Amino acid sequence: MQYSWLLFQALVAVFCAPLLSGFIRKVKNALRMRRGAPLGQPYRNIVKYLAKEEIVSETTSWIFRAAPFVVLGSTIAALMFVPVFSFSFSAAGMGDVLTVFFLFALGRFFLALAGLDAGSAFGGMGSSREMFISSFVEPVAIVTVAVVAAHGWSAESGEMSRHIGTSFSRMVAAAALFMVVLAETSRIPVDNQETHLELTMIHEAMLLEYSGRSLAMLEAAASTKQLIWFSLLGGVLWPWPFGGAMTLTDGIAAMALFGLKMIVGALVVGLTEIGLAKMRLFRVVDFLGLAFLFSVLALVILSLGY
Amino acid sequence: MKIFSGVVAELEAQGAGILEVFEPNPEEAVIRLNLEDFHRACLFMHKRLSSAVMAMFAADKRIVKSSFEIFCVFLSREHRKWCTLTADIPQDRPAFPSLARDIHSASLFEREIREMFGLEPQGHPDLRRLHLHDEVWPAGLFPLRKDFVLSGPVASDGITYCFNRVHGEGIFEVPVGPVHAGIIGPGHFRFSAAGEPIVNLEIRLGFTHRGVEKLFENKPPQEGLTLAERVAGDTAFGHGWAFCRAVETLAGLKVSPRALYERAIFLELERIYNHFAGIGGIALDVGFSFPAQFAAVLKEKVLRLNQYLTGSRYLKGVVCIGGVSRGFSRQDTRALLSEILSVSADHQELKKMLYGSVSFMDRVDDTGILRQKTARDLGVVGLAARASGADLDLRKVFPGIYERSDFRLIKQEKGDVLSRLRARMDEVDESVRLIIYFVDRLEEQSGTLAADFSRAASGRAIGSVEGWRGPVFYWVDMKEGLVDRCKIVDPSFHNWAGLSFAVLGEIVPDFPVCNKSFDLSYAGNDL
């Protein structure tokens, strides 16, 4: 039973992920007094890419072709270890929340290699920037999860589910995680998804050489990854009361609550993106340094018993 | 003659053999020299007038006197004159001594003369072609020579362009363009970067070379005007007016104050809409999308105002030789005033939005600095030069209708992206003030809209206008009522070099915002 829930959750999450991207775009455009693309545009894009011919540069190796599979696969696998709708819906026993970061690192590694593989200048720049930023992102993410895990002395999501309830340390940890989420989902002030300027891109630069089915997979992976980060943030800041054995009504309520959280998250991210200019690349160090400070502070606060 | 004679005497004291000095009109002084003295005289004028080479070009006069002519134009702010030095180059020895090693601003002009006329600048350090790319054009074709006929497609010699290479460990090259992701003109940017910091930037242009100067030849001035308005799409009015001024000077046409006021209003409207586009572009390139959108709305408002007043959003077909093609009714001036005041009020909001944002100011402050000395040495002009502390504005040098308007020259000192942004913001305010002033005066004027223009007199004249980007320069040579040679210098031609210096030491992802802050034209440069 648990595994069928798990599978169901993964399917729903992967399917709904592009909707979240579309919604954030809609929020941003509404704030800018623009009509913008319809909510379902990310789906249309993926369908369009799937129908298009794929062009692969002659100078690439197998890594370039394998990367989309590794990235999408590892992202979906990561989904199994994240409490999306409910804590009890995750692959408890197979790994803990830290596994998510390792799976992300695997995908990132392959994507960065693929960016270099085609030998275009933009891809290389994107890869180098991505690795530069991830070296600041990962420590913050791990410390933040440690704060939550320390409530029950376990990073395994089933165990974590028994220690829900908001505390001050969780709030501070969530502030740190929010900054990480902005960086990891290529949002302003770290990256800019909307730009057409290759020279300023980070994540998009690594995808420039991709087309067709591979691009569709990478886009799907990016929006799924975004959903995972959002639900991690939601879980840290606002843990939900659903755990243990679930009835059908519980399940529906959990999904509704999840949807609500995503909407709130999208509004906050949309507002942040509109209100800020993108940072100078090397300023990101300060930004994520601050995030690290917050995460350590959360640990200290936790150790004081709040 | 009297005003300029002091300088001429100094030049003679240098031992330069002057053949002839004359002042064909109040804005010009022409000094004819022997080719041997040309180099020395140019160096002297460069220093004496502390002016960059504002234009340098040749003309093919082999039919008349079996020689080419070469011209080098400086601007004397002190005397309020264009100072043209000229010499004959005999056709059997098609070469002239290069100024490029001494005066950087002559370098590109000399390369242009070389590829267009086949006149060799002796001692020039860089002889690569600018507009006629080696990948397309064979050697030995000189389009601006009178005997050039393009009968069909040309075949290249199989040579490829050679970029300057930076050697060293960890230096890599980033080629960008000529096709870009945005809707901009084509240009190739070759970055040499050490990690993110830019060590060298080489800009290769010429992809939109259309042979505009050749197209001018043997055209009546009315057709020339249509062409001039299409040289650079964002400066249609500026180019049109500059061309008209040259033709009007030659024909001795007196343009009525009423037409001049209207022209000035349109020139300022062109400045305003382009500044809004540029301000929005700067915000967009640092990912600050709300003000970018706001600026786009303001630009659109001005474009619609243009449309309402003239029927053309980009002010094409408004200026005509002798005046303007349509006058303002009372209703027009009322609409103009109310719209421009509302735009100006919104502009104050835009300023608050940008200057009040810490994250935005952090991006533009100290980014892409072009120091004043560098700008002067490179011969950077117009907006970009004023943002680096230069005093040069043709509206000050040749005020004309601006004379009594208390025109304030907008200047910044630092030369970074923020300075260029501030200069544009302040120029919008100044332009709004000028428009209001001109509209007030316009009511009192009655004269004709356009003076009668039947046939152009033969001769040569310079026409210039301070367009939104900087000085737009036209040198027109008329023969028997037709244009014999027309030299165009868009400010972009001077300023691209400034960009490649301003980005040195900046990181690669900051290039787009530096580029946008200069806001240069590809079409105006490539001609």
Side-chain angles (χ1 to χ4, degrees), chain B residues 515-526:
Chain B
N515 184 21
K516 193 69 212 176
S517 73
F518 278 85
D519 212 350
L520 302 174
S521 166
Y522 296 85
N525 178 83
D526 299 345

Side-chain angles (χ1 to χ4, degrees), chain B residues 59-296:
Chain B
D60 183 357
K61 295 289 167 194
R62 286 178 300 169
I63 301 166
V64 193
K65 51 182 177 182
S66 54
S67 66
F68 295 94
E69 280 180 281
I70 187 165
F71 302 86
C72 187
V73 184
F74 296 95
L75 177 66
S76 169
R77 270 172 280 181
E78 175 192 345
H79 307 95
R80 305 199 162 196
K81 262 185 209 311
W82 293 107
C83 171
T84 308
L85 302 180
T86 172
D88 285 358
I89 300 176
Q91 62 173 340
D92 49 348
R93 251 187 327 110
F96 61 98
S98 164
L99 296 168
R101 281 195 189 275
D102 302 296
I103 311 175
H104 189 281
S105 48
S107 169
L108 291 178
F109 286 113
E110 289 182 349
R111 284 167 70 180
E112 196 181 42
I113 292 171
R114 177 176 177 266
E115 66 182 343
M116 293 298 169
F117 288 93
L119 301 172
E120 206 64 28
Q122 285 165 332
H124 195 295
D126 180 2
L127 292 174
R128 292 173 298 171
R129 297 201 280 183
L130 290 174
H131 306 312
L132 307 179
H133 289 171
D134 293 323
E135 290 85 343
V136 182
W137 291 79
L141 271 183
F142 305 114
L144 285 180
R145 285 190 179 187
K146 291 289 179 194
D147 51 9
F148 169 84
V149 195
L150 189 61
S151 46
V154 290
S156 111
D157 294 339
I159 310 167
T160 48
Y161 186 81
C162 188
F163 283 95
N164 287 323
R165 291 209 65 149
V166 179
H167 296 277
E169 201 182 318
I171 302 277
F172 65 96
E173 285 189 0
V174 185
V176 184
V179 179
H180 298 276
I183 306 168
I184 56 171
H188 183 99
F189 300 89
R190 183 66 64 98
F191 297 91
S192 299
E196 293 288 356
I198 300 167
V199 180
N200 186 43
L201 165 61
E202 191 175 343
I203 304 173
R204 188 187 187 200
L205 301 167
F207 296 93
T208 54
H209 178 65
R210 294 144 289 161
V212 176
E213 289 178 5
K214 189 74 184 175
L215 288 174
F216 267 98
E217 289 180 7
N218 300 321
K219 286 224 162 54
Q222 288 86 346
E223 279 181 43
L225 173 59
T226 314
L227 204 52
E229 286 183 329
R230 279 147 188 84
V231 167
D234 55 14
T235 322
F237 191 84
H239 273 270
W241 190 2
F243 178 77
C244 284
R245 278 194 69 174
V247 176
E248 284 155 6
T249 306
L250 271 181
L253 273 187
K254 216 52 196 128
V255 182
S256 74
R258 180 178 173 201
L260 284 175
Y261 278 125
E262 279 202 24
R263 282 182 177 184
I265 290 170
F266 288 126
L267 189 70
E268 298 306 321
L269 281 173
E270 186 168 79
R271 193 181 315 279
I272 293 175
Y273 91 70
N274 274 300
H275 281 348
F276 281 140
I279 293 164
I282 289 174
L284 194 66
D285 282 4
V286 297
F288 201 17
S289 54
F290 187 82
Q293 191 61 28
F294 194 68

Side-chain angles (χ1 to χ4, degrees), chain B residues 175-454:
Chain B
V176 184
V179 179
H180 298 276
I183 306 168
I184 56 171
H188 183 99
F189 300 89
R190 183 66 64 98
F191 297 91
S192 299
E196 293 288 356
I198 300 167
V199 180
N200 186 43
L201 165 61
E202 191 175 343
I203 304 173
R204 188 187 187 200
L205 301 167
F207 296 93
T208 54
H209 178 65
R210 294 144 289 161
V212 176
E213 289 178 5
K214 189 74 184 175
L215 288 174
F216 267 98
E217 289 180 7
N218 300 321
K219 286 224 162 54
Q222 288 86 346
E223 279 181 43
L225 173 59
T226 314
L227 204 52
E229 286 183 329
R230 279 147 188 84
V231 167
D234 55 14
T235 322
F237 191 84
H239 273 270
W241 190 2
F243 178 77
C244 284
R245 278 194 69 174
V247 176
E248 284 155 6
T249 306
L250 271 181
L253 273 187
K254 216 52 196 128
V255 182
S256 74
R258 180 178 173 201
L260 284 175
Y261 278 125
E262 279 202 24
R263 282 182 177 184
I265 290 170
F266 288 126
L267 189 70
E268 298 306 321
L269 281 173
E270 186 168 79
R271 193 181 315 279
I272 293 175
Y273 91 70
N274 274 300
H275 281 348
F276 281 140
I279 293 164
I282 289 174
L284 194 66
D285 282 4
V286 297
F288 201 17
S289 54
F290 187 82
Q293 191 61 28
F294 194 68
V297 171
L298 292 183
K299 179 194 172 194
E300 181 61 25
K301 277 190 179 177
V302 181
L303 289 180
R304 286 184 188 177
L305 177 64
N306 289 346
Q307 162 107 44
Y308 171 79
L309 293 172
T310 68
S312 161
R313 284 159 64 83
Y314 295 95
L315 302 171
K316 281 180 183 155
V318 179
V319 67
C320 64
I321 297 165
V324 285
S325 62
R326 75 175 68 194
F328 286 147
S329 68
R330 181 134 305 165
Q331 200 189 345
D332 288 343
T333 50
R334 258 203 306 274
L336 168 60
L337 274 184
S338 78
E339 193 60 22
I340 211 71
L341 286 174
S342 115
V343 165
S344 169
D346 285 344
H347 175 55
Q348 308 311 318
E349 286 299 310
L350 180 64
K351 269 196 212 165
K352 267 188 235 156
M353 238 179 255
L354 290 178
Y355 294 158
S357 164
V358 176
S359 67
F360 175 77
M361 293 298 274
D362 182 57
R363 282 305 300 277
V364 292
D365 193 13
D366 264 344
T367 305
I369 294 179
L370 179 66
R371 286 183 307 128
Q372 188 177 354
K373 183 168 186 319
T374 318
R376 202 172 45 222
D377 290 348
L378 294 175
V380 170
V381 295
L383 184 77
R386 291 195 292 276
S388 293
D391 279 315
L392 181 62
D393 190 318
L394 291 189
R395 287 173 292 177
K396 272 273 181 242
V397 184
F398 306 114
I401 207 75
Y402 289 86
E403 182 88 64
R404 272 175 299 164
S405 65
D406 264 346
F407 164 66
R408 185 169 69 95
L409 185 141
I410 306 294
K411 195 171 113 174
Q412 294 283 326
E413 294 302 329
K414 205 162 155 195
D416 55 358
V417 173
L418 181 59
S419 301
R420 288 184 285 275
L421 178 74
R422 276 190 201 279
R424 300 186 84 164
M425 292 278 205
D426 294 351
E427 282 201 352
V428 170
D429 283 334
E430 183 62 13
S431 293
V432 168
R433 198 188 65 75
L434 287 170
I435 287 176
I436 294 169
Y437 170 86
F438 291 138
V439 170
D440 275 354
R441 297 296 171 290
L442 191 63
E443 310 257 295
E444 304 155 10
Q445 309 297 334
S446 52
T448 50
L449 269 181
D452 254 351
F453 173 74
S454 44

